[in-house]
Amino acid sequence: MDSKIIHTACMRVTVNVIVARVAVIERERNIIYIPKQPRINVIAQREFYIYSILNWGDRHCVEQIRMKPIVLYNLCDILTSRDLLRSCVY
């Protein structure tokens, strides 16, 4: 092959590679990065929810779980006595 044809082919390949890389860089620049939300302390949130159900009054408890606290305590006692509910430590 003629060296001029080889040189032209190499230049075309080089230009195509450069153009492709520039396109990738431009696309990455235009991506909007959404920051992650802060992690939630699930254990503390669960404890706060249980505390609110048991200590913020009958109305709040009924609104949240549709039963009065005394009924919830009785349910927990029944489930515990039948080994369907047990204490756990995190």
Side-chain angles (χ1 to χ4, degrees), residues 3 9 13 17-18 25 27 41 53 63 65 72 82 89-90:
S3 65
V13 169
V17 169
I18 292 172
I25 291 171
R27 187 179 65 198
N41 187 347
I53 287 174
E63 288 174 355
I65 59 174
L72 177 63
R82 295 180 183 175
V89 179
Y90 292 97

Side-chain angles (χ1 to χ4, degrees), residues 2 6-7 15 19 21 30 33 51 57-58 62 64 70 75:
D2 189 3
I6 294 173
H7 179 71
V15 168
V19 167
R21 184 62 187 143
N30 293 329
Y33 291 100
Y51 176 84
D58 289 351
V62 169
Q64 293 296 314
I70 191 67
L75 176 62

Side-chain angles (χ1 to χ4, degrees), residues 20-34:
R21 184 62 187 143
V22 168
V24 168
I25 291 171
E26 285 298 317
R27 187 179 65 198
E28 288 179 0
R29 278 190 198 164
N30 293 329
I31 293 176
I32 298 173
Y33 291 100
I34 300 173

Side-chain angles (χ1 to χ4, degrees), residues 3-82:
S3 65
K4 191 172 186 179
I5 295 173
I6 294 173
H7 179 71
T8 305
C10 288
M11 289 301 291
R12 285 183 182 175
V13 169
T14 304
V15 168
N16 285 334
V17 169
I18 292 172
V19 167
R21 184 62 187 143
V22 168
V24 168
I25 291 171
E26 285 298 317
R27 187 179 65 198
E28 288 179 0
R29 278 190 198 164
N30 293 329
I31 293 176
I32 298 173
Y33 291 100
I34 300 173
K36 289 184 177 180
Q37 295 293 327
R39 295 191 186 268
I40 298 171
N41 187 347
V42 178
I43 295 171
Q45 190 177 28
R46 182 184 309 124
E47 288 176 2
F48 177 76
Y49 178 70
I50 297 297
Y51 176 84
S52 73
I53 287 174
L54 297 177
N55 297 314
W56 286 6
D58 289 351
R59 183 175 181 174
H60 178 75
C61 187
V62 169
E63 288 174 355
Q64 293 296 314
I65 59 174
R66 292 176 173 64
M67 66 176 78
K68 291 186 177 182
I70 191 67
V71 177
L72 177 63
Y73 283 120
N74 290 339
L75 176 62
C76 289
D77 287 340
I78 291 169
L79 294 174
T80 304
S81 67
R82 295 180 183 175

